[in-house]
Amino acid sequence: MKKHLYIGGKWVEPGAYAPLYSPYSGVLLADIPLATKEETERAIAAAYEAKAVMASMPAHKRAAILEKLSQLLAERADEAASLISLEAAKPIKAARTEVDRTIQTYKFAAEEAKRVTGEMIPLDAAPGGEGRIAYTMREPLGVIGAITPFNFPMNLVAHKVGPAIASGNTIVLKPASQTPLSAYFLAELLEEAGLPAGALNVVTGSGAVIGDVIVQDERVKAISFTGSPKVGIGIRNRAGLKRVALELGSNSALIVDKEVPLTKLIPRCVQGAFAYQGQVCISLQRIYVHNEIYEEFVEQFTAAAGGLKLGDPLDPNTDLTSMITKQDTTRALAWIEEAVLEGAQLAYGGTTTNGMVLPTVLLEVDRTAKVSCEEVFAPIVIINRIQDVGEGIAHINDSRYGLHAGIYTNNIHTAFEAVEKLHVGGVLINDIPTFRVDHMPYGGVKESGIGREGVKYAIEEMTELKTVIINRT
């Protein structure tokens, strides 16, 4: 099966293709277009030509298109989930959850399209402002460049495409090389939903080629990128005066205070650490447990990790499956080995079965080990003991990342101390840092990025504020 580029509302045959294989089975899924610089520029030109149409489209029509999209996706939810499972090696039950969330994200976008509003400004609050009325309004920026990762190939695309359409922008989408099928699927649905030609364009291929064109073209007014800090920092350095929103990942951590009951906490932590093989930006990577309950926590957590099932992502009973590439598997094993050589205790896992990395639990890991201070993006979690919550806060803040952090505690004063002192974009009280719903503000500090996602907040990133002043005198 050969796929085509989607440019200006047409399926365009490219000059070259690359094979796309299933990460789990190795089966050929499709031949994917390798867009050239010229083809990418054509996509940008199509988006630029369509921007006036989208900017002038009434809010109710933009909302109707997004509502229709969510309806079409719901009707083809099983097909969408299977697509994600095949191209991303995501367990089918997790893929179904992603599709459900994607439907919800587009519904949120449809709702927010109707409330892109400004505010009244009381100019007479300042001397000389008497007799004047002022208000603000938000206008679309124009062409949005969206660059997305493999791990949520439908929902993270929705967090860029949904707000862009809701606010009257056009989009050039560059999906991850391993998960382009979901993006082409979206293009088909939006075409059916009535999106004007050129409002969405999908180009696939080399990030070095396509991404650089999108980032540097003056017609593109904003970049929304989810990926690695190295690439994100490079994008910001090259983007000039473009708006740039970057979600760059983390090594998210959790504090478990003394006297916290573990019955409900353990399954939640195991899910947060190992869902989708740990390939989640807010995957639970570091756990700091109070010394008084440390041994009990480790025993229960390790037992629960050992009960997870590895296998075919299309099997509804599978919990973990293959990582996205064999290179990532090799890297994960190397990082585990490094931590053990530096003194960490391997409580569970640390190896592979049928090429799949077992859920891995490491204890008393040195802060300089890669599994602690880098984003592991693998089914690996570290559990270290702490003497008090203050020590845990210090460990969490001792990181170049700052996306989400969580704390389980029975003490409200301790909870608010964590809220005040944790230097992260989001603090979760009595929950894991892996929690996210799609209308909340989402983003980080430090090398975890700049800007916020969540449909309402992404719309703010994709619009320009204009002030209008009327002199009545």
Side-chain angles (χ1 to χ4, degrees), residues 163-184:
I165 294 173
S167 52
N169 290 286
T170 61
I171 312 106
V172 177
L173 171 63
K174 193 279 177 197
S177 296
Q178 181 56 45
T179 53
L181 299 180
S182 295
Y184 286 123

Side-chain angles (χ1 to χ4, degrees), residues 60-144:
H60 70 87
K61 289 188 177 180
R62 299 196 303 269
I65 289 169
L66 290 162
E67 188 62 45
K68 180 65 174 178
L69 171 61
S70 65
Q71 176 191 331
L72 293 171
L73 184 54
E75 291 171 358
R76 298 175 65 179
D78 288 342
E79 180 184 353
S82 296
L83 199 63
I84 294 171
S85 194
L86 286 169
E87 68 176 349
K90 178 171 284 193
I92 189 66
K93 56 187 176 183
R96 287 171 180 151
T97 299
E98 180 178 348
V99 172
D100 289 342
R101 284 185 58 189
T102 304
I103 293 167
Q104 189 66 66
T105 300
Y106 285 122
K107 282 182 174 291
F108 281 131
E111 293 163 5
E112 291 297 337
K114 301 174 186 177
R115 30 182 201 247
V116 181
T117 60
E119 61 179 347
M120 297 296 298
I121 310 295
L123 291 186
D124 61 354
E130 297 89 347
R132 289 172 172 81
I133 297 171
Y135 64 92
T136 62
M137 56 190 294
R138 288 197 168 272
E139 296 181 337
L141 294 176
V143 180
I144 307 295

